[in-house]
Structure formats: C-alpha cells, structure tokens
Amino acid sequence: MNTKVITCMEDDDKGCLAEAGSIIRQGGLVAFPTETVYGLGGDALNPLSSKKIYEAKGRPSDNPLIVHICCFADIYRIVSDAPEHRQMLEAAGRLADAFWPGPLTMILPKADVVPFETTGGLSTVAVRFPSHRTAQALIAAAGGFVAAPSANTSGRPSPTLAKYVLEDMDGRIDMVIDGGEVGIGLESTIVDLTVEPAEILRPGYVSRDMLQEVLGRVETDKACSGEGEQAPRAPGMKYRHYAPKGDMTVVSGKKENVVEYINRQAELAKSEGKRSGVIATDETAAGYRADIVKSVGSRTDELSAARHLYTVLREFDEEGAEAIYSEAFEGDGIGEAVMNRLLKAAGYHMIQV
Ligand code: AMP
Ligand code: MG
C-alpha cells in the first residue's frame, strides 16, 4: 500500500481534509495530529476498520481503542443512556465542561452501535474530544466517530512527529496528515467513570487534583505506578509500552547520587562494549559521561519533559543506545505522567540510590 502524506497545520484551511475524511468513511486508515500524540484513525463504528487498526499496529485485539468525537453532544450516540448509567453521564458532562475539548479520555458504558471490535470486547467505551483543530476537522469529515490509538507500532514510543508515524506505518496505512510537532507529547489522562469513586487508569496532563475539583474523590489505579498485584484495569497497561530498543533503567534518589550512579553504570557498559545513553535534565546534563546524553528540558518546566520524552526515546534507537538510564520524575501533575511512561518504557526497572 502506498501511504500518501499531506500537510495540514492547525491554522490551515481544512478543505484539504475532505479526502482524508472519505478514506476513513470508506474503511481506510489515516494518521493525524492531536494535542497529545499522533493518532491512527479509522471509523469507530465499523468493526473492519478497528480490525485494520489492530493489524497495522500489531496491537493485541483485547486492547481497546479510544473513540474520538468532535462535539460533546455526540457522546450520547455512543454511550448507554440506561437509567442506571445516568449518573455516570452526568459526571461526564461536568468533566467535559471543565476539560473538553482537551487531553482527557472518559470510560463509560457503551451503546450497542459501538462494535466490540472497537472496545476490545468490553461493554465500556473510551471517549475523547480533542482540542487540536486539525483533529476536530478530520473527525467531522470522517463522520464524527474516529477510533484512534497512538500511531506507533505496538510497544514503541508514541509518535510526536509525522516522521515517526511514517517510521512505523509507512506502507501499512492509507494516509498521514503532517501537522508538525504535537503540543503535549504524552497521551491523554484516562478516567473510568463506571466505578465509584472514579478512577484514573492512565495519568496525563489532566491531573488527579484537577479531576477532584470537579468530581470530589478520585482514585488512581495502583498499576499506574507499578504497584498492586491486581491485573491493570485499562487492558493496555499490561503490555510493555513506549519502549526503546536498549535496556532501560530509571534511577531515583538525590541528584548527586543519581549522577554518580549513572556515570558508574555508563563506564561499566563501555567496558562491556555497549553504547550508553542518559535521559537527563538541563540542570544535570553537563555532569554525565555517557556516550549519548539527552536533556528533556529544565526541572522547572515539567511540560518540557512530557513534550520531549518520546522523541528522546526514539532518538536513542536511531543512535543505537544499548544501556539507557533515566532520571526519575515526581509530582502529581504531568510529572507523574512522565514517570508513569518512563517506568513502562523501563519495564518497571527502577533503582533507588
Ligand atoms: P492508546 O489509544 O494507544 O493511547 O491506548 C488507549 C488506552 O486506553 C489503552 O491503554 C486502553 O487499554 C485504554 N482503554 C481504551 N478503552 C478502554 C476501556 N473501555 N476500558 C479501559 N481502558 C480502556
Ligand atoms: Mg498507545
């Protein structure tokens, strides 16, 4: 298959998206920019489209897709309106007022029209209304309901640039819409509204505190930080994710200890003939003696770490890093989301120094 690439920046006229919309309506796949990462879009109400998405990504078919909409009212078409579900919808309405359009995905009981192929066999559906204007225009042109996981091969870092989409998807999908670099760089926060209290299944830009201001108490699934023995509730969380090709370790502790430990490990790697890489911050980057040192930005700007993390992980692959060490991040906002992705990329391999 020949993958067509078109360019459409957020401020461009959206007439150029008519072809992309018709590809999706006819059952094809189009990758497109959103404010979080690039998505791989297909018609969410067409089971064959969802099958194609799983195939293109090499994604296990029990890992459900997020359905993207382009106005709040469309949620009523894809979620259940049974009386026992009304309260969940009411909570969704309040969250939508506060955070939509934006990087928040809500889990709700699904309506019959949503095929099980899209929800990985679940009776719930994940819904998001993105704020990116190109994404919104594409969803509208495609008929209003676009299933879109991140546009990477399953297990690899999510794409923050169209060139990374092509790296994984060239020849496997019909079209890529190049909209430049994405803004946030990490996937949406996922909140499950079918449980009481509501539960965060994946941390993101919209933090627990922000959700609690609207909903009252909100829990975070233990699996987000690698704790807890229970199977993760977002099926996607049980798979290794975002992983670079090299072995990765997250190192947590006092700044000086972290730098010293990583430098020792980098020397050890060198003695074994392995290329070492460090995910550093502006404050520490000059202190590392590894083969490749990449800063994700200043500690004072957590959004920068989110925006650069996946790019750095892909660059380590390009440059052949075999032993990768990352500083740890904390906090309860985007810092928590960064740490969650780092731990997954490292297969939860973390060392405290
Ligand atoms: P991605 O689209 O690649 O960001 O992945 C979507 C994430 O949403 C995966 O981790 C899924 O497991 C999760 N997800 C999608 N639908 C549901 C659902 N109905 N219930 C729980 N998690 C879901
Ligand atoms: Mg993904």
Side-chain angles (χ1 to χ4, degrees), residues 20-351:
S22 95
I23 290 173
I24 292 180
R25 274 186 275 111
Q26 286 164 31
L29 303 185
V30 176
F32 62 100
T34 79
E35 71 275 23
T36 58
V37 298
Y38 274 80
L40 174 54
D43 180 354
L45 306 185
N46 179 348
L48 295 177
S49 297
S50 295
K51 278 192 178 155
K52 277 194 198 167
I53 292 177
Y54 288 111
E55 242 172 62
K57 280 180 65 83
R59 178 171 175 140
S61 60
D62 66 346
N63 187 358
L65 310 174
I66 295 173
V67 179
H68 293 69
I69 57 178
C70 58
C71 69
F72 177 74
D74 282 347
I75 199 173
Y76 298 113
R77 298 253 325 266
I78 53 170
V79 307
S80 156
D81 63 355
E84 65 271 29
H85 298 145
R86 292 268 156 79
Q87 222 174 337
M88 300 169 194
L89 254 178
E90 188 269 328
R94 281 188 286 140
L95 284 181
D97 280 343
F99 304 113
W100 274 6
L104 177 69
T105 296
M106 306 187 213
I107 309 287
L108 290 157
K110 82 175 189 68
D112 291 342
V113 69
V114 183
F116 284 109
E117 282 79 358
T118 299
T119 66
L122 297 177
S123 53
T124 52
V125 61
V127 194
R128 178 162 110 79
F129 174 7
S131 63
H132 197 289
R133 286 192 293 276
T134 304
Q136 292 176 352
L138 174 71
I139 296 162
F145 303 94
V146 172
S150 48
N152 51 283
T153 300
S154 190
R156 296 211 67 208
S158 303
T160 50
L161 289 167
K163 76 166 180 173
Y164 293 135
V165 176
L166 283 167
E167 207 171 272
D168 288 9
M169 294 296 154
D170 197 11
R172 307 177 73 89
I173 62 176
D174 300 281
M175 183 184 266
V176 176
I177 301 171
D178 185 347
E181 192 176 10
V182 297
I184 295 176
L186 289 185
E187 304 83 350
S188 58
T189 305
I190 300 180
V191 63
D192 184 353
L193 297 179
T194 67
V195 290
E196 181 58 43
E199 191 169 27
I200 295 172
L201 304 185
R202 177 172 74 187
Y205 177 84
V206 177
S207 67
R208 179 163 168 234
D209 282 349
M210 288 157 81
L211 294 172
Q212 293 202 126
E213 273 188 31
V214 178
L215 291 184
R217 200 161 124 236
V218 174
E219 304 277 344
T220 302
D221 189 315
K222 292 246 180 321
C224 291
S225 51
E227 298 163 41
E229 292 109 52
Q230 261 180 303
R233 308 234 350 277
M237 295 197 300
K238 71 179 180 243
Y239 299 107
R240 188 164 183 232
H241 254 95
Y242 322 121
K245 290 173 187 151
D247 283 329
M248 185 164 149
T249 307
V250 179
V251 185
S252 167
K254 260 178 63 188
K255 191 167 88 180
E256 304 74 43
N257 295 350
V258 169
V259 173
E260 193 192 309
Y261 176 84
I262 292 180
N263 279 339
R264 257 189 288 129
Q265 294 304 308
E267 255 166 54
L268 205 65
K270 195 179 204 132
S271 71
E272 292 169 359
K274 284 190 197 150
R275 226 168 132 64
S276 59
V278 181
I279 300 179
T281 45
D282 289 354
E283 288 78 3
T284 54
Y288 288 111
R289 298 187 301 273
D291 293 317
I292 314 166
V293 179
K294 290 186 186 283
S295 173
V296 287
S298 168
R299 286 262 166 203
T300 59
D301 177 10
E302 285 185 325
L303 284 174
S304 166
R307 197 160 56 243
H308 295 119
L309 177 63
Y310 289 146
T311 306
V312 162
L313 289 175
R314 285 200 178 240
E315 285 171 357
F316 276 133
D317 284 353
E318 282 162 13
E319 295 168 38
E322 295 165 284
I324 301 170
Y325 295 88
S326 176
E327 295 178 8
F329 289 79
E330 50 211 51
D332 38 32
I334 193 81
E336 183 188 0
V338 170
M339 188 61 172
N340 166 264
R341 307 311 194 271
L342 277 173
L343 284 173
K344 282 198 196 176
Y348 294 100
H349 187 212
M350 178 161 92
I351 284 176

